[in-house]
Each structure stands twice: as structure tokens, then as C-alpha cells.
Amino acid sequence: MTLVILAFVVLLVMGLPVAFAIAGAAAMFFFQNPSLPFTIPAQQTITQTQNFALLAIPLFVLAGNLMNHTGLTRRLLDLVTALLGHFRGGLAQASLALSAMMGGVSGSAIADASMQARMLGPEMIARGVPKAHTAAILSFGSILTPIIPPGIGMILYGTIGQVSIGQLFAAGIIPAMFLWAALAAAVAIQARRGDWAPERARRLAPRELPGVLGAGFWALLFPVILLLGLRSGLFTPSEIGALAVIYALLVGLVVFRELSARGFGMAMSDTLADIGSVMLLISVSASLSYAMILERVPETLAGYIAGLPGGMEVVMLVAVLGVILAGFVIDATVLIIMLTPILLPMMRSLGADPVHFGIVFIIAASVGNSTPPVGAAMYSVCSILGCPVGSYARASVLLLLAIALVTCLLVFLPGIVLFLPSVLI
């Protein structure tokens, strides 16, 4: 297995796309074991695409892309700007709130970061927020997106680990609010140090609140429908994804009447591009996961980590630190696909709740989207805004510290994560 891991690292360093690096490493394993039929990789790849639960991913991505072309995202921005624009760096605070709300719309951190970089980035810079801080805030704010239902990471983790996706959806809400509060506090510190200007001259008057909330009503309603549908047992995660697409079409065609034929075509095109990359990763990872299970990698790793002094929380903290470090060089989606079969059985054997560990694990994996050297959200934002990665990294230290503190809190206080699933699901 050592040569397989080495092949994967070498292929990554050579600049090969991650999916092809995974496929190459898996091929190396089967070349090393000629007694195994070489039809197994093909079978594993095809079988992985037949998983009905994974149908939720393209459906939620399509729903999110449709909503971006209905005017719903713009109305959400107006809502959060009205509520938070009077703070220093009001647009920066509004971007975090928009990320929290966009979790119930797009489910994709990279899509959220890219959209906000185009929509808010130039405006934040024009209002005195340094370019590096603008890029860091927009990138790290997108970490909220996969934690709020319907996050794609939750669907992957739940499908691979046989964990209730409905419980994961409910469990992500309170931790996301904690992350939002921590990031907002970090931005407030940066804004005070940099004397960033507010977006609005005054706080929103109480008489203006009903009109502002009304404008964002249809966006705020979607997560409620999602959770109620799962809680009542009317829909499976895949079926609720189909409902999300229907909801997006109704909002765009009937409520706002802003979804044009061109917008629909762009939403379909964006969805095909997003889903193509995700499903390719899922498919080729099946063979590598098969190899790891056959070589008993999960059991071996579990033996090493479980031997650490301390309780289950210490082991989880070490596992989370390892995931964050791995995220510096491996995409979050790949981490979830590759490490769930390894880490989840280990944590279950130590008595950890799979929903609790899943939320902490997804947060840790998502950090890699915003950290050098391979963070996809980071590169997307820096490319759009023309920001050097070095400047970005220096500006993101406080934001990374805020996320680390919340992650540690969630590890040692599982009740924060498990409260809503115990009540709703």
C-alpha cells in the first residue's frame, strides 16, 4: 500500500488532476496484485454511479444554479445588507450572512465563493476593505455553505458511511451559526483595526423590517420546507432534491418571473460542469477505497490513533487535525470520499456518534477549500479579484483561528451538534 500512496502523491505533485491521480494510484494497486481480476476497478466505478442516494447531489446543484438566475440571490443580498450594513465593514459582514443563507440554496462552497467574489468583491474593495482581506473573507465565509442543508459534503458522508442524511442536515444548522458568529467576530476585529467604512449610515428602523424580510421570504422558506419534508417522512434526500428543483422553477417562473430561457440554459450548463467533476471523483475513488479496505488500512490506522492517551474526544481532535492538514493538499470532496470509510468505523468503535463526528469532519475537510496550496475556493476568489496567494494567506490567519476554535468546541461539546437532530428527526 506504500507504493500506492506514493504514486498518488507523485501524480498530484506532477500536476495531474486529482481524479486521475486517484485512478492512477488505484491502478498501481491492481498491477501489484495480479491475482485480483482487473475487472474489479471497472465494476467498482460503475457500481458507485448507481447509488440512488447520490442523485440528491445533481438535483441540489441544479436547484442552486436555477435560484442564482431567478433574482433570489440578489434579494438575499439586499436583506443581509439592510440588516448588517450599519456595522464597520458592513459588506464584509453581509457576505458572511449571505454565505449562511446560501447554504440552503447552493450547497457548494466553491460556487458560493465564486458568486460572491463577482458580486461583492469589487464593491468591498471600493469601500476600503483591502483586496487580500476581501478575498479571505469571501473564501472562508463559503465554509458555512457545506454545513447548512443541503450541503453536498453531508450527502457524500451520509451515503458512504450509511448515516442518516436527514439527521446530518438538522445537525449542521447550530454549528453553522457558531461558525458564522466566530467569523463575524473576527471580521469585526479586522474592520476596527482597518477602520473599514459601514455600508449604511444608520441601523435598520423597526418599521422597515417587515418589508426587508418579505423580500427574502422565498429564500428563507426553502430550508424550512427541506427540514419539514425530511422530518415528516414525506421525502427521502433524493426526493427532496427533486422538490428543490421544482421550487426553484416555481420561484423563477411564477413568483419573481425572472428566469429566462438564457438563464435556464446557463444554469443547466453550470450544473453539468459541476456534477461532471464531482461524479468523476466519486466514481474513481471507489477503486481506491476498495484497495484500502482490502489492505485493512482503516483497522491499522484505527489501531494507531486509538492507542493515543486520552478519551474519544482527544482521538477525534487528532483525526480532525489530520484532516485539516490533508486538506492543504487534497480537495474537500476527495477527503470526504476517501477518509469516511477509514475514520468513521474507527470513531464508531470508540463510541463516537456518527452524526457528531460527521459534522466536525465535514467542517475540517471544508477548511481545505480555503487554504493554500490547493484550495479551490481560495484560487477561485484570488483569480477573480487578482489577489496574490501570499497576501491572502496573511489576511486569513484570524479567520482560520476562529474556525479552529469553534471546531474544538464542537468536538468537546457534542450536544451542540446533536440537539436539533434529537428534536427534529
Side-chain angles (χ1 to χ4, degrees):
M1 201 66 196
T2 304
L3 284 177
V4 174
I5 297 172
L6 183 62
F8 175 67
V9 173
V10 169
L11 292 173
L12 277 182
V13 172
M14 290 172 59
L16 207 65
V18 176
F20 294 102
I22 293 173
M28 171 70 76
F29 172 80
F30 286 97
F31 279 127
Q32 282 185 298
N33 296 272
S35 59
L36 293 173
F38 213 76
T39 55
I40 291 178
Q43 291 171 348
Q44 290 291 318
T45 299
I46 294 171
T47 301
Q48 196 71 4
T49 64
Q50 308 304 306
N51 192 326
F52 180 75
L54 291 179
L55 184 61
I57 295 177
L59 290 171
F60 278 125
V61 172
L62 175 58
N65 285 325
L66 286 171
M67 289 182 183
N68 286 338
H69 290 279
T70 62
L72 187 144
T73 301
R74 175 169 46 79
R75 287 172 171 82
L76 275 179
L77 177 59
D78 292 341
L79 169 63
V80 297
T81 303
L83 294 173
L84 302 172
H86 61 282
F87 289 107
R88 288 182 181 272
L91 270 186
Q93 294 288 0
S95 75
L96 296 176
L98 185 59
S99 291
M101 293 181 179
M102 283 297 293
V105 177
S106 71
S108 169
I110 300 169
D112 177 47
S114 302
M115 180 273 296
Q116 290 213 42
R118 293 186 179 92
M119 180 186 297
L120 290 180
E123 296 298 324
M124 288 171 63
I125 294 169
R127 284 161 175 75
V129 182
K131 185 180 291 185
H133 285 83
T134 297
I137 292 166
L138 294 177
S139 177
F140 274 86
S142 70
I143 291 175
L144 296 171
T145 306
I147 316 304
I148 297 176
I152 292 172
M154 296 180 183
I155 299 172
L156 289 174
Y157 173 83
T159 303
I160 296 169
Q162 298 298 301
V163 181
S164 168
I165 296 174
Q167 289 191 352
L168 288 168
F169 281 178
I173 295 174
I174 294 179
M177 297 304 104
F178 274 77
L179 285 171
W180 178 10
L183 288 171
V187 169
I189 293 171
Q190 293 176 328
R192 184 166 294 278
R193 287 177 178 174
D195 195 25
W196 301 348
E199 176 67 13
R200 289 170 55 92
R202 60 176 178 82
R203 189 186 301 268
L204 188 72
R207 66 178 182 277
E208 298 175 289
L209 187 59
V212 169
L213 291 176
F217 170 79
W218 293 102
L220 300 175
L221 182 62
F222 173 62
V224 176
I225 294 175
L226 185 149
L227 286 174
L228 288 178
L230 291 171
R231 174 65 181 87
S232 63
L234 289 175
F235 304 102
T236 66
S238 299
E239 291 166 347
I240 206 80
L243 178 65
V245 174
I246 296 171
Y247 182 84
L249 288 171
L250 288 175
V251 169
L253 295 173
V254 179
V255 180
F256 297 151
R257 300 182 181 180
E258 294 185 19
L259 182 61
S260 62
R262 182 173 179 272
F264 180 80
M266 291 175 64
M268 294 296 293
S269 176
D270 293 343
T271 300
L272 287 173
D274 294 340
I275 295 308
S277 59
V278 171
M279 292 308 297
L280 180 61
L281 282 170
I282 293 171
S283 299
V284 298
S285 296
S287 297
L288 191 57
S289 296
Y290 177 90
M292 289 182 173
I293 293 170
L294 199 65
E295 291 292 303
R296 301 181 65 83
V297 172
E299 291 86 345
T300 304
L301 186 61
Y304 282 125
I305 298 181
L308 294 171
M312 179 269 294
E313 292 83 2
V314 174
V315 174
M316 186 181 295
L317 204 58
V318 172
V320 164
L321 179 60
V323 171
I324 292 175
L325 292 176
F328 289 166
V329 294
I330 303 176
D331 180 74
T333 303
V334 180
L335 281 177
I336 293 171
I337 294 170
M338 291 180 60
L339 296 184
T340 296
I342 298 174
L343 296 179
L344 181 55
M346 176 188 73
M347 296 310 304
R348 273 181 163 144
S349 68
L350 294 173
D353 187 284
V355 174
H356 173 219
F357 174 68
I359 296 301
V360 175
F361 172 44
I362 293 166
I363 293 173
S366 299
V367 170
N369 279 327
S370 300
T371 54
V374 298
M378 174 197 72
Y379 275 120
S380 176
V381 171
C382 287
S383 173
I384 292 169
L385 299 179
C387 176
V389 172
S391 301
Y392 166 94
R394 289 189 293 273
S396 63
V397 172
L398 189 59
L399 301 171
L400 182 59
L401 179 61
I403 291 174
L405 289 174
V406 173
T407 305
C408 290
L409 183 69
L410 297 178
V411 168
F412 289 99
L413 296 175
I416 297 174
V417 178
L418 299 176
F419 173 71
L420 275 186
S422 66
V423 173
L424 296 179
I425 305 297

